[in-house]
Amino acid sequence: MTTANLTRTETSARSAAVTVRRIRLELDVTGAPDPAATGFPTMSTLEFDATTPETWVDFLGEDVHGVLVNGEERPVDWDGARVRLTGLAARNTVVIRATGAYSRSGEGLHRFVDPVDGNVYLYTHDEPADARRFMACFEQPDMKAALTVVVTAPDGWQVLSNQSPADVHADDGVPSVEFAPTLPLSSYLTCIAAGPYARVSSEWRRGDLVVPLSVLCRASMVEHLAADEILEVTRQGLDFFADAFAFPYPWGKYDQIFVPEYNIGAMENPGLVTFTESYLYRGAATRAQRQARANTILHEMAHMWFGDLVTMQWWDDLWLKESFADYMGAHASVAATEFTDAWVAFANRRKAWAYTQDQLPTTHPIVADIADLEAAKLNFDGITYAKGAAVLKQLVAFVGEDAFFDGARRYFARHAYGNTTLEDLLVELEQASGRDMRTWARAWLQTTGMSTLSAERGDGTVVVVQSDPRPHRLQIGLYDLHDGVLVLRERIPVDIVEERTTVPVPDADLVLLNDGDLTYAKARLDERSLTAVEHGLSSLADPLARGLLWSALWNATRDGELAVARYLEIVAAHAPGETDSVLLGGVLLNAASAIGHYLPAADRAAARGAWLDTTWEALRGAEAASDAQLVWARAFAAAASFDDARRLDVSTLLIGSGPAGLPMDADLRWELLTALVTTGHAGAEEITEEQLRDHTASGRTAALAAAASTPSAAVRAADWRAAWRDLTLTNDHLDATIRGFGAGARRDLVEVFDAEYFTRIEAAWADLSIEIARRLVIGLYPETETTDLVDGWLEAHPDAPAALRRIVLEQRDHQRRAIRVRQAQADLR
């Protein structure tokens, strides 16, 4: 472990001995437009009290030039991660002058050059611990302080931070912007953006409170900004949260900026929320895509209270912000926006993420044991987000919505601008609801795994059987099949605790456990219900019920209990009739995954051919200009990367002679062209021609991915070398290279590197940032037919970094599941 990997024990000791009062950060990014400039001057002034004579300040960068302690110049004692401070007084002012490094990995201060116009854009991303890449700071969430930011930047640039500018002045024609001090803030929430960003401004009013609003993006992306819709969702969210939390929005302004090469979906920096540019749709966008953007806007807005106003003490309680924000994103979407069916997406997409994560050997409780920063980085996962949100949804059903929000209001009022643990929240929820929250927390927050619910039919009864028993409040839906149409008869509410619970239930064609999706559990279908679903799934009027059935089918398939062939038959029969674009998109991705991972190798080619035909016929039959048409077109392009039987149809789409109403935007064109390249029917000339048509950042990345997909041993070897060795690749370009390496599942072209992978991963973990190393370890993991290689590595490297071993263990588990399910197919159906 290097000194960059901070531990819970040492940071707890530091915060007990050091109380931060104020921080001033001064950055000079005037050199950013110069491609030869690798770094930037940064100066941090930290005012703090101390009960210890020594401590350290965190900094990762090119160099530390000077350390001033209480007016006295000190020798620089910096090991590359920590600046050691000694001879401290009770009250201290420390000034650290350093050079930070511009990032190409999306960690710290990221620099991007727009290929469209040559403009340079900067933005920061810190979570969980990358503020130290551009400022010397106390990099832990429980050392909050007021922060004043000063940025010197090229003339004509937009310069933004968490607060509004308080002073703008120019020295020798070079402008500097000093921002007003923030309210107490954790270091990981510091945000700075600078560059010729385009801005659309507005405001939100509530009584005497006026909050300036703006949305920003690169100048070359402004035509795709959809500012009106983004601002409408923003105002709807602020209206909702102002009422729900009874605590006025505290952060002054509300800027939202869409940035390139962003590592995650969005980040809740108060006053300056950052989003991936993927939410700016360059062509046609489905309702599912717009809903996803709205959900993310509201998720990040909820963090202004859950996470920013009240912050977890250490990363153990990361769920205190992420689970709540994930829940609130869907809840506020339903309550305040046009996307009143947001719980459908949650049930089908977000919970699928949780179910997958919770079945890995590395699963963890929602309230996790996070020993250090590397562990924290990996816990931004399906447990912390989606399982936590699902459990909160169940809690709301248990205590009632009024009590839940009353508890939240008490929590904010008591702990505003402070740090908390699970106990602090439980106290407020207990007082608001009058319920025993400790029992609930032990059952749901402090345990791992999930229950699997199944129904045993009797004479007028159903026995609900649950593995891994927990308390559940749920509904049993009873549906009748009439002339191929499934119709709801009734929903029966029931509380279950034990392994077996007998419930009086009339006979029905379909018995759907957890109808309404009130609890967190996998639900199985009995054989009679499965038969009813085979006949009538797409006829169900309720999209949430359909989503739960699609989820049950997928879970049974990936658990090896439903034959892949039978699952694919259901998809082929009912996906063309699926009207919800969220559900349709998820189902099509799962079908392709089932073919690629869960079918025996001998059956794969035929299944891929049949799937290609299914996607093509559904595309041709879809309503013109509909969401379904676009979703099927994307699925067809993906399928055509594995089977070239319809290469002429792919070419027909590319020349604009496809089905009427299909929007041939740049992204879909790249998907189709990449399919032709992957199967050997297009090459460098076509890629160059397409890039001339789409001379954008996205086009450049897509061209790299297409070229890397060429089905040649020499090209795949070049992909391999570039991924591991080319340190000039940005995060997005590394992803494109990795995609190309694995394109078309051409094991014959890449299996030569299987053993070499295991000789490289430990050095990569040691030498590269965790963000880049993680992409390599996951993206290049060899999909061999046995686990012999990975088993050997794990046995030979028991002392490898825990976070690296966790990733490798998870990849092995995915591999072992796939092998197990493939072997089970002969016994199914």
Side-chain angles (χ1 to χ4, degrees):
M1 180 187 299
T2 71
T3 60
N5 187 20
L6 304 175
T7 70
R8 176 178 54 206
T9 300
E10 61 187 348
T11 54
S12 177
R14 179 166 65 173
S15 60
V18 174
T19 302
V20 193
R21 301 299 181 189
R22 282 176 295 278
I23 299 174
R24 181 180 178 88
L25 168 63
E26 298 173 61
L27 288 183
D28 184 346
V29 296
T30 53
D34 180 3
T38 61
F40 52 89
T42 173
M43 184 169 71
S44 298
T45 303
L46 303 101
E47 299 179 38
F48 59 91
D49 298 342
T51 59
T52 178
E54 64 178 70
T55 190
W56 81 93
V57 173
D58 304 295
F59 181 72
L60 300 172
E62 292 187 352
D63 201 3
V64 175
H65 307 292
V67 177
L68 196 68
V69 178
N70 297 326
E72 177 186 339
E73 197 75 38
R74 297 287 181 85
V76 174
D77 183 0
W78 178 59
D79 63 4
R82 305 184 187 199
V83 180
R84 180 68 53 185
L85 304 178
T86 59
L88 296 175
R91 178 153 291 192
N92 303 274
T93 300
V94 172
V95 181
I96 298 175
R97 293 180 295 103
T99 299
Y102 289 114
S103 170
R104 295 177 65 81
S105 66
E107 300 158 294
L109 182 60
H110 189 82
R111 177 171 60 179
F112 174 83
V113 181
D114 192 334
V116 174
D117 51 23
N119 282 332
V120 173
Y121 293 89
L122 306 176
Y123 65 85
T124 60
H125 179 66
D126 312 346
E127 193 174 39
D130 287 317
R132 55 186 170 160
R133 294 182 183 273
F134 59 86
M135 62 186 287
C137 61
F138 296 107
E139 190 76 284
Q140 58 191 85
D142 64 340
M143 298 186 74
K144 289 186 167 185
L147 171 69
T148 299
V149 173
V150 182
V151 180
T152 303
D155 191 22
W157 278 21
Q158 296 270 2
V159 181
L160 304 101
S161 189
N162 302 90
Q163 267 288 1
S164 297
D167 177 65
V168 180
H169 63 274
D171 294 324
D172 297 325
V174 179
S176 290
V177 181
E178 179 168 335
F179 295 90
T182 69
L183 295 165
L185 203 64
S186 300
S187 60
Y188 77 91
L189 293 168
T190 306
C191 190
I192 296 162
Y197 287 100
R199 181 199 291 257
V200 177
S201 298
S202 186
E203 66 180 22
W204 173 79
R205 291 178 175 270
R206 172 60 68 95
D208 295 332
L209 178 63
V210 179
V211 176
L213 308 178
S214 70
V215 290
L216 303 97
C217 68
R218 289 185 287 133
S220 63
M221 291 290 288
V222 71
E223 65 180 295
H224 310 302
L225 184 56
D228 290 345
E229 181 172 330
I230 292 166
L231 288 167
E232 179 183 18
V233 172
T234 302
R235 293 189 196 93
Q236 290 168 334
L238 288 169
D239 283 339
F240 172 80
F241 288 120
D243 292 334
F245 294 155
F247 195 110
Y249 174 76
W251 303 107
K253 66 185 178 69
Y254 201 84
D255 294 336
Q256 298 172 98
I257 186 167
F258 293 80
V259 296
E261 298 183 333
Y262 201 51
N263 285 332
I264 60 173
M267 180 64 202
E268 67 268 18
N269 317 296
L272 181 55
V273 182
T274 42
F275 294 84
T276 173
E277 277 185 348
S278 299
Y279 285 125
L280 302 184
Y281 308 121
R282 300 200 303 155
T286 64
R287 189 174 188 276
Q289 290 174 285
R290 294 174 50 242
Q291 181 191 90
R293 180 172 62 198
N295 188 289
T296 302
I297 290 170
L298 297 170
H299 173 117
E300 303 309 323
M301 189 179 292
H303 275 310
M304 299 300 118
W305 291 266
F306 280 110
D308 297 357
L309 179 66
V310 183
T311 311
M312 70 274 161
Q313 184 169 305
W314 176 248
W315 301 103
D316 293 349
D317 283 305
L318 175 63
W319 81 281
L320 277 175
K321 70 184 188 77
E322 295 302 348
S323 297
F324 276 87
D326 222 42
Y327 171 80
M328 286 296 172
H331 182 91
S333 292
V334 171
T337 76
E338 68 176 277
F339 302 108
T340 55
D341 55 350
W343 287 120
V344 176
F346 180 83
N348 195 253
R349 290 286 188 91
R350 301 298 283 182
K351 288 180 76 171
W353 181 27
Y355 293 148
T356 298
Q357 191 85 42
D358 215 6
Q359 294 174 87
L360 293 172
T362 56
T363 189
H364 56 85
I366 295 171
V367 180
D369 179 21
I370 305 297
D372 56 39
L373 284 180
E374 286 192 355
K377 179 76 171 179
L378 298 188
N379 263 41
F380 289 80
D381 60 15
I383 303 298
T384 302
Y385 283 73
K387 180 180 180 179
V391 167
L392 288 175
K393 188 182 183 199
Q394 186 202 42
L395 175 65
V396 172
F398 179 59
V399 303
E401 191 172 302
D402 290 344
F404 176 79
F405 279 99
D406 185 37
R409 295 182 194 110
R410 293 167 180 260
Y411 178 70
F412 298 138
R414 185 179 298 273
H415 300 288
Y417 309 110
N419 296 88
T420 59
T421 64
L422 167 64
E423 176 63 20
D424 298 309
L425 177 65
L426 295 182
V427 166
E428 304 307 329
L429 288 174
E430 280 190 340
Q431 291 183 358
S433 68
R435 301 267 191 159
D436 174 15
M437 290 292 103
R438 269 76 179 171
T439 301
W440 172 81
R442 283 192 298 271
W444 289 103
L445 301 181
Q446 297 168 327
T447 60
T448 63
M450 76 198 80
S451 304
T452 299
L453 307 177
S454 58
E456 294 180 358
R457 295 183 187 241
D459 185 11
T461 65
V462 163
V463 178
V464 180
V465 181
Q466 64 162 324
S467 65
D468 195 6
R470 286 179 172 84
H472 298 273
R473 173 162 292 181
L474 53 82
Q475 298 177 117
I476 300 175
L478 304 181
Y479 294 80
D480 299 314
L481 184 65
H482 297 297
D483 298 324
V485 177
L486 282 168
V487 180
L488 173 67
R489 185 198 308 165
E490 64 176 314
R491 293 189 176 102
I492 300 174
V494 60
D495 291 326
I496 64 172
V497 177
E498 306 299 331
E499 181 178 352
R500 299 175 65 86
T501 304
T502 301
V503 183
V505 172
D507 188 53
D509 293 310
L510 167 61
V511 174
L512 177 56
L513 301 178
N514 195 30
D515 201 0
D517 195 40
L518 297 182
T519 195
Y520 174 78
K522 288 192 295 185
R524 294 287 193 242
L525 298 170
D526 65 273
E527 185 59 34
R528 182 177 169 190
S529 294
L530 180 57
T531 300
V533 167
E534 287 178 309
H535 285 89
L537 172 54
S538 56
S539 70
L540 265 173
D542 180 7
L544 180 55
R546 294 198 310 274
L548 294 172
L549 289 170
W550 283 122
S551 178
L553 293 168
W554 175 239
N555 285 325
T557 302
R558 71 182 301 272
D559 288 346
E561 296 189 13
L562 177 66
V564 173
R566 193 175 183 184
Y567 173 73
L568 293 174
E569 288 171 1
I570 296 172
V571 173
H574 292 287
E578 179 54 66
T579 57
D580 187 289
S581 58
V582 171
L583 297 181
L584 180 60
V587 167
L588 302 191
L589 287 173
N590 288 343
S593 180
I595 295 169
H597 295 288
Y598 301 138
L599 272 181
D603 299 336
R604 238 170 265 157
R608 281 178 170 147
W611 179 241
L612 181 66
D613 290 342
T614 296
T615 60
W616 176 248
E617 294 304 325
L619 166 59
R620 293 177 63 198
E623 181 183 349
S626 65
D627 281 1
Q629 185 186 53
L630 184 56
V631 173
W632 280 110
R634 291 167 178 168
F636 172 69
S641 292
F642 297 94
D643 188 308
D644 67 353
R646 292 195 173 274
R647 60 187 180 276
L648 295 180
D649 294 322
V650 175
S651 298
T652 297
L653 292 178
L654 277 170
I655 64 174
S657 298
L662 179 64
M664 285 301 299
D665 58 60
D667 293 334
L668 181 55
R669 289 187 58 83
W670 277 115
E671 292 175 46
L672 292 163
L673 177 59
T674 301
L676 291 178
V677 174
T678 303
T679 54
H681 298 290
E685 182 178 348
E686 291 85 355
I687 293 171
T688 300
E689 182 180 337
E690 194 64 32
Q691 193 171 8
L692 289 173
R693 181 197 298 264
D694 183 22
H695 185 58
T696 65
S698 296
R700 181 176 59 182
T701 302
L704 176 59
S709 302
T710 302
S712 152
V715 170
R716 301 302 173 93
D719 295 344
W720 177 264
R721 291 191 299 271
W724 292 107
R725 300 177 189 174
D726 188 353
L727 300 182
T728 67
L729 291 176
T730 67
N731 45 2
D732 278 7
H733 291 175
L734 175 60
D735 281 349
T737 303
I738 291 172
R739 287 199 306 275
F741 179 76
R746 291 292 302 273
R747 287 285 301 149
D748 58 313
L749 298 178
V750 302
E751 61 187 358
V752 66
F753 300 107
D754 291 351
E756 185 181 339
Y757 167 90
F758 291 101
T759 69
R760 287 186 172 275
I761 55 177
E762 199 160 12
W765 196 265
D767 297 340
L768 303 172
S769 73
I770 190 172
E771 182 65 42
I772 296 300
R774 181 175 176 272
R775 292 174 190 229
L776 290 166
V777 175
I778 294 174
L780 295 175
Y781 183 86
E783 293 290 339
T784 55
E785 289 298 322
T786 73
T787 59
D788 292 346
L789 286 173
V790 64
D791 292 342
W793 185 87
L794 287 167
E795 183 177 354
H797 295 80
D799 298 323
L804 172 59
R805 280 183 62 88
R806 170 178 168 169
I807 293 175
V808 174
L809 283 166
E810 290 177 350
Q811 298 312 301
R812 180 181 69 165
D813 193 72
H814 292 313
Q815 183 183 9
R816 291 174 69 176
R817 174 184 288 270
I819 293 169
R820 183 174 66 251
V821 174
R822 288 196 294 267
Q823 292 171 345
Q825 295 307 302
D827 298 325
L828 295 171
R829 185 131 166 154

